[in-house]
Amino acid sequence: MGGASQRLRKHQEDEAGSMAETEALPKLREDFRRQNKSVFILGVSGETGRVLLKEILEQSLFSKVTVIGRRKLTFDEEAYKNVNQEVVDFEKLDDYASAFQGHDVGFCCLGTTKAKAGAEGFVRVDRDYVLKSAELAKAGGCKHFNLLSSKGADKSSSFFYLQVKGEVEGRVEELKFDRYSIFRPGVLLCDRQESRPTEWLVRKFFGSLPASWASGHSVPVATVCRAMLNNAVRPSDKQKEVLDNTAIHSLGKAKGS
């Protein structure tokens, strides 16, 4: 009974916290907009980056929005007309340092898989490209760097994927951004444009589970993106913050108006 009571109390506290966040968001967003901040996003060709860009434009949080990627993307909607695009060669990022200059906030959603890119390709994208981008962003004046990582990220993990994720988290921290936010979601639930059969099966599996259990190990991409933005507009005196899957669910549920 004690355990059940504690779980109920925690659930009630989480609900109260989510309600408070929702009530505070409109003012936080308005205060944030007045600061006329600029933002860059890495990884917009991927599902999370694509949804994040859409949320950023819908909320009109930034005075300037820049997408940094290896190829120019085509946007048909009118809302995207003022999005700046910087095309870079990730193998020669030093030659494109100017793309990372003058941004107040940065979101890094870069990532691939070992199955898709091989072990070396995975390390190159998820560690080397991320770290070099962070270095250039720091040198270019970025104050708040947001990194999309993974649940279980740990440089001492016996799992290669989590080991690499943990390593890059630590190395980006060494750059000493004014504010560094790490997001560690579980399995991302989305309708990915590219085909990854294994991930599709995993999403179907989690979709069939009880909501309470699935929410501890998975999270919709849209919830992650809302959590990233809701967190960004909240003032914080922490140099580093880590948001796990539970925190992402809670913060991402607070939509505001």
Side-chain angles (χ1 to χ4, degrees):
M1 287 295 290
S5 297
Q6 289 179 344
R7 286 193 295 272
L8 177 59
R9 187 162 56 249
K10 186 177 188 308
H11 174 74
Q12 292 171 335
E13 290 172 352
D14 290 343
E15 288 295 317
S18 180
M19 187 177 298
E21 291 282 1
T22 299
E23 292 173 353
L25 273 173
K27 185 176 188 309
L28 288 174
R29 287 173 180 160
E30 191 55 42
D31 291 345
F32 190 86
R33 291 185 189 105
R34 290 198 188 99
Q35 297 174 55
N36 292 318
K37 292 188 176 185
S38 60
V39 64
F40 74 83
I41 312 169
L42 289 157
V44 170
S45 61
E47 185 69 14
T48 306
R50 181 183 67 80
V51 176
L52 179 63
L53 174 60
K54 183 173 181 289
E55 283 281 341
I56 283 175
L57 295 176
E58 287 180 354
Q59 294 187 28
S60 301
L61 292 175
F62 298 91
S63 60
K64 182 179 179 182
V65 179
T66 300
V67 168
I68 301 175
R70 58 187 173 82
R71 59 186 172 84
K72 189 167 184 178
L73 302 175
T74 301
F75 301 115
D76 297 325
E77 295 90 339
E78 180 73 10
Y80 292 80
K81 67 177 182 179
N82 293 322
V83 173
N84 300 286
Q85 294 201 56
E86 294 282 355
V87 178
V88 303
D89 181 347
F90 282 100
E91 294 293 332
K92 303 174 183 177
L93 270 183
D94 279 320
D95 295 342
Y96 300 87
S98 61
F100 294 87
Q101 292 179 353
H103 308 291
D104 300 296
V105 181
F107 291 96
C108 181
C109 301
L110 284 175
T112 186
T113 64
K114 185 178 175 182
K116 181 181 178 183
E120 288 186 11
F122 167 67
V123 171
R124 192 158 64 247
V125 174
D126 283 58
R127 186 192 67 191
D128 299 344
Y129 291 178
V130 170
L131 181 58
K132 190 62 187 178
S133 296
E135 290 174 351
L136 292 174
K138 171 67 175 176
C142 179
K143 303 298 184 186
H144 184 190
F145 190 80
N146 298 266
L147 177 63
L148 180 65
S149 186
S150 173
K151 180 185 174 91
D154 184 346
K155 64 181 179 181
S156 61
S157 174
S158 56
F159 292 97
F160 182 65
Y161 177 85
L162 299 178
Q163 183 185 101
V164 172
K165 290 292 189 181
E167 180 185 354
V168 75
E169 281 186 8
R171 293 179 68 175
V172 171
E173 183 180 1
E174 292 171 2
L175 299 176
K176 302 296 183 185
F177 283 95
D178 288 4
R179 185 179 179 187
Y180 174 37
S181 304
I182 301 170
F183 297 83
R184 292 179 179 169
V187 174
L188 295 173
L189 304 178
C190 62
D191 294 319
R192 191 185 295 276
Q193 292 179 338
E194 64 185 62
S195 176
R196 291 183 185 175
T198 302
E199 289 191 3
W200 181 85
L201 288 172
V202 170
R203 291 197 299 273
K204 295 294 284 186
F205 169 71
F206 278 104
S208 67
L209 294 173
S212 59
W213 195 92
S215 65
H217 302 275
S218 63
V219 60
V221 163
T223 300
V224 176
C225 295
R226 281 196 298 268
M228 294 175 94
L229 295 180
N230 289 347
N231 186 64
V233 302
R234 298 191 305 179
S236 175
D237 56 3
K238 294 180 181 178
Q239 189 271 326
K240 173 189 173 184
E241 53 195 348
V242 179
L243 289 89
D244 62 13
N245 202 62
T246 301
I248 290 171
H249 266 285
S250 178
L251 192 53
K253 275 194 258 180
K255 296 181 181 181
S257 60

